[in-house]
Amino acid sequence: MSLQILNTLTRTQQEIIPRGGLGHTLSLYTCGPTVYSYAHIGNFRAYVFEDLLQRHLQTRGFIVRRVMNITDVDDKTIRGAVAAGISLAEFTQPFKEAFFADAQTLRLLRAESYPEATDPVQIARMMSMITTLMERGHAYQAEDGSVYFRIASFPNYGKLARVDLEGQRPGQRVASDEYEKEAVADFALWKSWVPEDGGVGWESPWGKGRPGWHIECSAMATGLLGETIDIHCGGVDNIFPHHEAEIAQCECAGHGVAPFVRYWMHCAHLMVEGSKMAKSQGNFYTLRDLLAQGWTGREVRYALISVHYRASLNFTREGLGAARTALARLDAWFLRLTEAAAESATSDPPDQSIEGFFTALDDDLNISGALAVLFETVRESNRMMDQGMLTPAQARGLLEWYGRVNGVLALEPDQSADQLPVEVQQLLDDRAAARSAKEWKKSDELRDQLAALGWLLKDTKDGQRISKS
Ligand code: AMP
Ligand code: ZN
């Protein structure tokens, strides 16, 4: 069976074929974090789903080029920096570092690149896209100095979210990055500077200002992956307005032949007691909160990965408890199987039926089907070991299969080095905050405290790197 996914654009299940044909590179763009605070595990549900997708694609032989952006300028980051009385870069830096640390704790594969919206190269590209949109009549500068996308100029607007353009009031405009699904309105491409923006702003042909969130992703995605991207992912809340706006911008500023994205994939929300986990609701947990409560990164990964990405997932302690139980079962089985295989250098291929793990994932990442095959295999081989019926060569064959399975799931037990103790992570976070506030003395003291605990720190251009001394 071919690898198929449900495309949000067509609402149908489709085989994934790279633009250049099978065997060619597959481009994947995933909307990344807005670094105005720690990402919550709802955000990480989206990233874990994207990680499962990337790993399964690679297991199936696709050559994946993935880009994930970092939104380090938008309404929320500016508000945060101004409130803290520090520069935007100082404000966002600790949250960037925290994001990468959390991603590592959750075992997310690294993307090929993580472009940042404030990078001068990216800002220049955003401006050039806006210029093209204005030249082609798709954008205009309003009395408030901001530049807006004219949605009436793009008949396909609404095709992804299937929002109804009927009854839309022409000339309605929104400057905010996020707005309600019903609001079909011209959205800001370039927001003219206002005093509340403090020191944040770039000179442009339309005066001092800053880019809108949607144009940031459009510019970074097409700048790094080309005018047509194979797969673009995010959470369902990204469909409208964010992804709809990305389509409008890219298809109007591009060469007009190919679609911006060939396959759209969106994961459902992580819920808490019936509501979406969101910072604005105050009902969120960060990964740090959970680690401090004694859960591990791999337990959280399991809890997030084990429910199909399009099913809404209610986040509960029972869910984490179930993850812990499932992992203990896998660990015990793996150990037993390793002992059983010790005497054999050769392996017998297992029954073909257990390839069902991978064929389930081929079917729109059917993780429930895949885990059912895994746990049925655990049950059956445990039974055979109980009865002394599993040969060492069969055990080795199963271990090899599990190696491939784990290449997708990444659930192996923690190596002590890849899980930082909570107090060490806290000291690292405090030091990152001290450094952005230019509190060098405090930063040095924190380094000394880490050294006293046996950890060696190095400051690199990507942030702090820590190792056991
Ligand atoms: P943001 O930092 O708000 O731009 O969100 C980053 C990613 O997390 C986006 O792809 C969102 O769609 C996704 N996201 C936000 N909240 C949730 C949630 N509760 N469950 C799943 N994904 C979410
Ligand atoms: Zn985006």
Side-chain angles (χ1 to χ4, degrees):
M1 179 182 159
S2 54
L3 200 164
Q4 303 191 350
I5 56 92
L6 188 108
N7 187 347
T8 314
L9 182 65
T10 59
R11 310 293 200 266
T12 58
Q13 192 151 316
Q14 293 177 332
E15 179 180 358
I16 299 262
I17 301 176
R19 192 158 87 97
L22 286 172
H24 288 257
T25 305
L26 186 81
S27 54
L28 173 59
Y29 185 83
T30 51
C31 285
T34 307
V35 281
Y36 72 106
S37 68
Y38 297 116
H40 59 68
I41 56 154
N43 303 127
F44 278 109
R45 181 186 194 195
Y47 309 143
V48 166
F49 138 64
E50 291 154 1
D51 185 65
L52 176 69
L53 174 67
Q54 180 175 359
R55 286 174 181 270
H56 183 55
L57 285 164
Q58 290 178 347
T59 300
R60 286 307 203 193
F62 289 91
I63 309 152
V64 180
R65 276 193 69 197
R66 180 163 71 89
V67 169
M68 176 181 262
N69 71 294
I70 305 285
T71 303
D72 59 357
V73 54
D74 80 322
D75 300 347
K76 291 180 277 194
T77 43
I78 294 178
R79 233 180 283 138
V82 169
I86 53 179
S87 73
L88 186 64
E90 286 166 334
F91 176 72
T92 55
Q93 185 60 25
F95 301 123
K96 288 180 189 169
E97 291 180 18
F99 167 72
F100 286 110
D102 289 353
Q104 199 180 347
T105 305
L106 289 174
R107 306 164 175 208
L108 306 183
L109 290 181
R110 282 191 64 90
E112 177 183 289
S113 64
Y114 294 94
E116 298 184 349
T118 55
D119 178 342
V121 174
Q122 302 303 340
I123 294 277
R125 191 169 158 78
M126 293 166 207
M127 286 190 199
S128 124
M129 278 184 88
I130 297 171
T131 304
T132 307
L133 290 170
M134 286 190 78
E135 282 166 4
R136 295 182 180 177
H138 291 296
Y140 59 93
Q141 186 163 26
E143 329 67 62
D144 64 358
S146 294
V147 178
Y148 291 89
F149 184 89
R150 179 180 283 123
I151 59 165
S153 73
F154 182 55
N156 272 336
Y157 192 81
K159 72 176 173 182
L160 180 70
R162 306 206 173 164
V163 277
D164 190 2
L165 297 189
E166 294 298 317
Q168 158 220 342
R169 277 187 284 130
Q172 228 186 324
R173 290 197 290 262
V174 289
S176 162
D177 281 332
E178 289 171 281
Y179 46 96
E180 291 306 311
K181 198 171 170 80
E182 289 70 32
V184 179
D186 291 355
F187 55 87
L189 297 166
W190 187 260
K191 301 189 191 196
S192 121
W193 185 87
V194 288
E196 297 85 76
D197 291 345
V200 181
W202 288 263
E203 292 305 333
S204 80
W206 320 286
K208 186 172 171 182
R210 55 171 167 119
W213 173 38
H214 314 311
I215 197 77
E216 293 179 9
C217 270
S218 282
M220 292 188 269
T222 54
L224 286 150
L225 292 172
E227 278 195 15
T228 291
I229 293 166
D230 289 314
I231 309 178
H232 192 317
C233 301
V236 281
D237 59 331
N238 283 158
I239 297 175
F240 192 90
H242 187 49
H243 290 164
E244 195 71 59
E246 278 191 52
I247 294 176
Q249 296 164 151
C250 292
E251 297 192 357
C252 292
H255 49 52
V257 183
F260 164 45
V261 169
R262 301 175 59 240
Y263 308 94
W264 285 96
M265 293 179 75
H266 294 96
C267 77
H269 282 142
L270 186 69
M271 312 289 282
V272 182
E273 285 151 27
S275 309
K276 172 192 166 189
M277 181 177 285
K279 302 227 177 79
S280 55
Q281 307 265 329
N283 63 350
F284 65 91
Y285 298 98
T286 63
L287 182 60
R288 281 125 218 276
D289 295 335
L290 298 176
L291 298 182
Q293 290 168 18
W295 301 102
T296 64
R298 80 169 179 142
E299 286 165 349
V300 177
R301 178 179 171 90
Y302 187 95
L304 293 178
I305 220 171
S306 58
V307 172
H308 188 255
Y309 75 94
R310 285 192 292 103
S312 94
L313 163 55
N314 200 25
F315 184 76
T316 58
R317 254 153 244 290
E318 290 74 47
L320 283 171
R324 182 168 286 177
T325 309
L327 288 167
R329 188 142 174 251
L330 282 179
D331 291 350
W333 170 73
F334 177 77
L335 223 64
R336 198 175 174 199
L337 207 57
T338 306
E339 282 165 16
E343 294 157 30
S344 175
T346 57
S347 60
D348 278 354
D351 190 283
Q352 190 55 29
S353 67
I354 65 176
E355 285 305 304
F357 175 88
F358 300 98
T359 43
L361 292 178
D362 286 343
D363 178 15
D364 194 29
L365 299 181
N366 176 4
I367 189 73
S368 322
L371 290 177
V373 174
L374 172 60
F375 283 101
E376 174 55 26
T377 307
V378 169
R379 199 186 62 78
E380 177 59 17
S381 50
N382 270 334
R383 189 186 64 77
M384 287 177 73
M385 285 189 277
D386 289 344
Q387 298 175 355
M389 280 165 50
L390 194 79
T391 67
Q394 282 173 325
R396 184 156 301 287
L398 280 173
L399 275 179
E400 285 169 6
W401 169 81
Y402 186 57
R404 289 194 292 125
V405 166
N406 194 53
V408 181
L409 297 178
L411 292 176
E412 67 282 2
D414 282 310
Q415 309 296 312
S416 48
D418 85 324
Q419 191 86 31
L420 291 177
V422 176
E423 71 274 22
V424 172
Q425 188 60 56
Q426 189 61 55
L427 288 168
L428 272 180
D429 292 346
D430 292 349
R431 189 166 175 273
R435 287 173 67 75
S436 13
K438 298 204 166 46
E439 296 172 12
W440 306 120
K441 191 160 166 293
K442 185 167 173 199
S443 153
D444 288 346
E445 283 165 13
L446 290 163
R447 175 201 290 269
D448 294 344
Q449 285 182 42
L450 283 162
L453 292 171
W455 294 87
L456 204 66
L457 247 191
K458 240 169 104 178
D459 291 307
T460 71
K461 76 173 194 355
D462 295 319
Q464 309 179 86
R465 288 274 168 276
I466 192 161
S467 55
K468 269 275 184 211
S469 55

